[in-house]
Amino acid sequence: MGILVMSDSHGLVREVQQVTGRHAVEKILHCGDFCVDHLREPFSRMTLVRGNCDTTKDVPTEQQTKWRYLNILQTHGHLFGVKSSLLRLHYRAEEMGANVVVFGHSHVPTCGVVRDILFLNPGSLQLPRGFDVPTYVILEQTGVTKSTVQVTVSFFDHRGIPVQSLGGTYSLRR
């Protein structure tokens, strides 16, 4: 089992319930712009961060989650200028000791390793950009050695169909 990562659902509830009900996962991370009451199901079961369109102050702008051999930094991205560059977010990840960063804001599905840190944007469930359909991600730890952890990133469209052109398997430092 892995972690489901989504972002930028912008008020969708039924669609988010469908996605979360589709996969057996250990955790669900939402990278902001959920735009509904955070205490409402299924959002109340998620680890949330506040995006630029979220109004509640009860949700932090970033979270750190330790899961197995991963140290995950979760943020929306607007406070780090992710539409221009990942540099500021990379610096923050280094400060936090993160080997994975999950973020949203741009609505563009993104996945890749930059200087030993996996950057993962699941895209948007509401308003996709840079891809034809709404997307989300399942992140799985698939192997461990003395010094590395292997993860597999699988993108899915809003109907649960795998998107083969996105994602992959990555080896990260522990």
Side-chain angles (χ1 to χ4, degrees), residues 11-165:
L12 297 178
V13 175
R14 181 177 48 90
E15 293 85 346
V16 170
Q17 287 172 330
Q18 290 170 345
V19 167
T20 59
R22 187 177 292 137
H23 302 277
V25 293
E26 292 180 41
K27 295 183 176 294
I28 303 171
L29 308 181
H30 195 298
C31 296
D33 282 359
F34 44 90
C35 304
V36 297
D37 180 358
H38 68 286
L39 299 175
R40 179 180 185 170
E41 276 292 321
F43 300 93
S44 61
R45 295 184 283 120
M46 299 178 187
T47 302
L48 302 170
V49 291
R50 185 173 69 240
N52 58 300
C53 294
D54 296 315
T55 57
T56 181
K57 300 292 185 206
D58 293 335
V59 174
T61 57
E62 66 180 38
Q63 297 261 17
Q64 189 168 17
T65 299
K66 293 186 189 243
W67 178 72
R68 298 183 182 182
Y69 292 98
L70 301 178
N71 186 355
I72 303 167
L73 172 61
Q74 174 188 359
T75 189
H76 184 58
H78 64 296
L79 299 175
F80 295 95
V82 298
K83 288 184 180 179
S84 300
S85 167
L86 296 180
L87 187 60
R88 288 173 47 206
L89 189 53
H90 194 282
Y91 288 149
R92 182 63 177 151
E94 286 178 334
E95 288 174 351
M96 304 291 286
N99 57 358
V100 176
V101 177
V102 294
F103 66 101
H105 188 54
S106 70
H107 295 214
V108 178
T110 305
C111 184
V113 175
V114 179
R115 294 193 334 248
D116 297 320
I117 299 172
L118 175 65
F119 287 85
L120 176 57
N121 184 328
S124 172
L125 280 179
Q126 174 70 301
L127 303 165
R129 295 182 191 129
F131 204 72
D132 295 339
V133 296
T135 53
Y136 63 94
V137 162
I138 301 289
L139 174 66
E140 297 175 284
Q141 181 181 302
T142 52
V144 178
T145 70
K146 188 174 181 179
S147 59
T148 64
V149 57
Q150 187 174 43
V151 296
T152 299
V153 177
S154 303
F155 280 80
F156 295 86
D157 74 10
H158 61 293
R159 297 167 307 209
I161 298 170
V163 178
Q164 302 297 333
S165 61

